[in-house]
Every structure is written in C-alpha cells, then in structure tokens.
C-alpha cells in the first residue's frame, strides 16, 4: 500500500507557477517509490481573488482540520504561507501532529513590492510560521543562508529542481537568425511587477525582446514598451521552440528563490543573463551556462558568445528525480 503525503497549498492545481510545477513533476517518482500525493487547496473552500493578483485565490479554510483528519495522512507538507497554510499550521500544532514546510518565494520582498508592507513585519510572520516545522525545505544553499540570516531556526535544507525534458521538447531544429537581425532575448514567467521586467523591456531598442506568460502587469508593460513581443502562456513543444530559438534568456528578477525557467532555458541550449542574486547565483555556471552582472546588457552580450551545446550538456544535472529524492528523504512522520 502506498503511503500518503498530504500537500496543503494556497495554489490551485491549474495555476502556472514554480510551486505547482514542482509537485506535479515529482508525483510520478513518488508513486514509483511507494508514495501517493493528496492535496488540500483553495478549491475546497469559499475563496476570492487577491487584490491586484486575480490568478491568486485567497480561501477562508474554516474546517480544514476535519479534512486533514479524514485524509489520515502518513506525512503532511505545508507548501505555502497563505491562509491555507496558516489554518493548517494552527490546527496541526493544536493536535500535536508533526509536519514539514517549504519556502518557495521571497515572501516578504514579494508582499512589499505588491502591497508596500515593510519586510520586517512579514519576516516576523514567516519566522513564526515555520518555527514548528520538522524541516524547512528551500530552493538553494544561498536561500538557506538567507533565511538563517533573517533569524530562522531549526533545520533548513536546500531542495533542488529539475526539467521535464520529455515534455519540453522542440518540434524541429533551431531557427538561425540572420547576421543583420537583432538578437532575440527571451523571458518566460508570470508577468508581475516584482519580476523586474521593466529592466529587460527598457532594452527594446537594442534587442528583439520576447515575453512568454501573463499576469497583472502585462497591460502596463505593453503600453510602455510597444516594441516588446508578448506571447501569453505557452507550453510543450511550442514553448520549447521559443526557448530554443532565443539567443539569450534574461532573468531580471531579484525576488525569486530559484527560477525554474532558467534551467528550462539551459536544457535547450539558451544561456541565461541575470543579476548576481539568490536564485541565479545557485543555478548559473558563469562562463558555461550564463553570466551575471548588475548591468543586464553586459550579461546579455557575454551570453551571446556562448557555446549552446555546452550550455545544454551542463544543464543535465537538474532532474526531477533528484528533486523527489530530497523531498522524500526529508519527510516527517505525522505522529
């Protein structure tokens, strides 16, 4: 019989983000190892869209304890710090159940950029939120040190990510741009203010900039940067073709803790230009898979000279199997 892992999350299963993508990709490895995933998410409860962020659903999860109890899990993992995670955390503590948690996003920085809440307030909350976690899983070694610097105690571990190369497979050969054409610089992800996309879009007169994804900041960017090409959401072979045909992938975010899209880009041979911050410093191999600098244009120009085959081969270390194994080895029995 498969052992049950209950995932409690503020993300619905149809959202396109790193949290949802991570759990979807490790599920198949879990089943092969004798584990089964079950989810409690906002679809179980009355909910409304977050202000300024319509794809994010805020639930009022009254009665979540009864659902957790009826699930009778072997392990509980709280994936997010929103209302779902908060109500679950309080019920589990009252019952004396053990659980672990994960820290996927720089939550205080995100809340400050969207709602102008001072970071010290939100850091106090997330420190309290994760205080009783059996283990806190975060994305990189840099994030482990960052959380410790912000006063997190207990066991904090680095939890890597992977690429589904069977799904992210291009339909054909890469299109080669002419010598006179502007280099194509790509970004993929949620189009929101905290992603730093203005820094990339300002280079519209220097490069052909493409943005794949959608979000609350898209209309503003389209108005301000008419030369930037917006695709909306793409997936599968269509997305793989866009990754493959780009000359450089630019990741201008300073708030992400990892950035799955960086390793997706590398898996198709496209090097990554980014700022030297948490996320990129743990993912990019300078001189091989990308380059980091405070001047994004400088980083892009360096990447334009890279060997794409070398980029692709270096990306092979990122696998969802390894991601699952880290998650499995750090599960905490509920009793």
């Amino acid at each position: 019989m498969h052992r049950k892992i209950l995932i409690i999350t503020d993300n619905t299963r149809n959202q396109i983000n790193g949290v949802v993508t991570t759990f979807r990709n490790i599920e198949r490895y879990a089943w092969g190892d004798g584990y089964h995933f079950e989810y409690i998410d906002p679809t179980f409860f009355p909910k409304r869209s977050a202000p300024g962020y319509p794809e994010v659903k805020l639930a009022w999860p009254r009665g979540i304890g009864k659902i957790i109890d009826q699930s009778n899990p072997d392990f509980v993992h709280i994936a997010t710090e929103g209302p779902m995670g908060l109500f679950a955390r309080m019920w589990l503590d009252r019952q004396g159940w053990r659980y672990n948690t994960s820290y996927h996003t720089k939550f205080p920085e995100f809340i400050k950029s969207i709602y102008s809440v001072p970071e010290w307030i939100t850091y106090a909350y997330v420190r309290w939120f994760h205080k009783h976690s059996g283990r806190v899983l975060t994305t990189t070694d840099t994030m482990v040190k960052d959380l410790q610097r912000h006063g997190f105690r207990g066991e904090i571990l680095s939890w890597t990510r992977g690429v589904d190369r069977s799904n992210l497979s291009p339909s054909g050969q890469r299109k080669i741009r002419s010598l006179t054409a502007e280099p194509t610089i790509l970004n993929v992800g949620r189009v929101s203010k905290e992603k730093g996309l203005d820094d990339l879009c300002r280079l519209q007169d220097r490069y052909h900039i493409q943005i794949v994804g959608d979000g609350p900041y898209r209309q503003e960017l389209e108005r301000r940067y008419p030369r930037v090409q917006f695709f909306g959401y793409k997936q599968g072979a269509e997305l793989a073709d866009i990754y493959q045909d780009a000359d450089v992938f630019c990741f201008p975010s300073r708030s992400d803790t990892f950035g799955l899209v960086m390793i997706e880009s590398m898996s198709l041979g496209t090097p990554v230009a980014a700022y030297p911050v948490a996320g990129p410093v743990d993912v990019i191999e300078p001189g091989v898979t990308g380059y980091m600098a405070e001047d994004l244009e400088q980083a892009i120009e360096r990447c334009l000279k890279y060997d794409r085959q070398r980029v692709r081969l270096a990306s092979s270390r990122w696998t969802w199997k390894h991601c699952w194994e880290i998650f499995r080895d750090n599960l905490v029995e509920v009793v």
Side-chain angles (χ1 to χ4, degrees), residues 89-289:
R89 185 252 197 225
M90 292 191 298
W91 186 87
L92 292 165
D93 284 348
R94 286 197 302 269
Q95 302 304 312
W97 288 29
R98 299 177 69 229
Y99 56 90
N100 67 358
T101 59
S102 50
Y103 187 88
H104 296 265
T105 304
K106 284 190 171 182
F107 195 56
E109 288 83 350
F110 167 75
I111 293 296
K112 181 182 179 181
S113 68
I114 300 298
Y115 303 119
S116 300
V117 177
E119 290 179 15
W120 69 266
I121 295 176
T122 316
Y123 266 114
Y125 167 70
V126 293
R127 277 195 301 271
W128 170 84
F129 183 92
H130 293 279
K131 183 167 76 168
H132 294 159
S133 175
R135 293 185 180 99
V136 180
L137 302 179
T138 191
T139 47
T140 64
D141 291 339
T142 298
M143 281 308 304
V144 171
K145 294 173 184 174
D146 188 68
L147 293 181
Q148 291 170 338
R149 182 172 60 84
H150 280 98
F152 278 59
R153 298 293 180 261
E155 195 168 5
I156 309 171
L157 300 144
S158 176
W159 180 28
T160 187
R161 298 295 186 267
V163 178
D164 182 2
R165 291 168 176 82
S166 62
N167 181 54
L168 197 67
S169 179
S171 61
Q173 295 297 312
R174 180 173 185 259
K175 296 176 184 176
I176 306 299
R177 67 179 171 90
S178 69
L179 294 176
T180 57
E182 295 174 328
T184 296
I185 313 301
L186 174 67
N187 178 272
V188 177
R190 189 169 63 247
V191 184
S192 50
K193 192 172 182 180
E194 80 278 5
K195 296 293 185 178
L197 292 169
D198 281 283
D199 293 356
L200 170 60
C201 291
R202 289 189 190 103
L203 303 177
Q204 64 177 354
D205 295 327
R206 180 73 175 83
Y207 307 107
H208 176 212
I209 296 170
Q210 297 179 331
I211 294 179
V212 174
D214 211 337
Y217 200 45
R218 178 176 172 177
Q219 287 187 346
E220 175 70 12
L221 289 177
E222 287 179 317
R223 182 184 65 80
R224 295 170 68 178
Y225 307 103
R227 294 196 63 202
V228 174
Q229 184 178 10
F230 292 84
F231 285 102
Y233 287 120
K234 300 292 181 183
Q235 57 186 347
E238 192 174 10
L239 176 58
D241 287 342
I242 295 172
Y243 271 127
Q244 180 177 251
D245 292 342
D247 294 291
V248 174
F249 185 94
C250 183
F251 190 77
S253 174
R254 294 180 183 271
S255 62
D256 284 70
T257 61
F258 190 89
L260 277 171
V261 290
M262 289 190 289
I263 58 174
E264 288 181 349
S265 177
M266 293 171 188
S267 74
L268 289 158
T270 303
V272 178
Y275 291 121
V277 295
V281 297
D282 296 276
V283 174
I284 294 172
E285 194 175 342
V288 179
T289 60

Side-chain angles (χ1 to χ4, degrees), residues 322-334:
H322 183 46
C323 178
W324 155 247
E325 289 168 348
I326 295 172
F327 186 79
R328 176 200 63 198
D329 294 345
N330 289 286
L331 290 167
V332 175
E333 295 269 6
V334 296

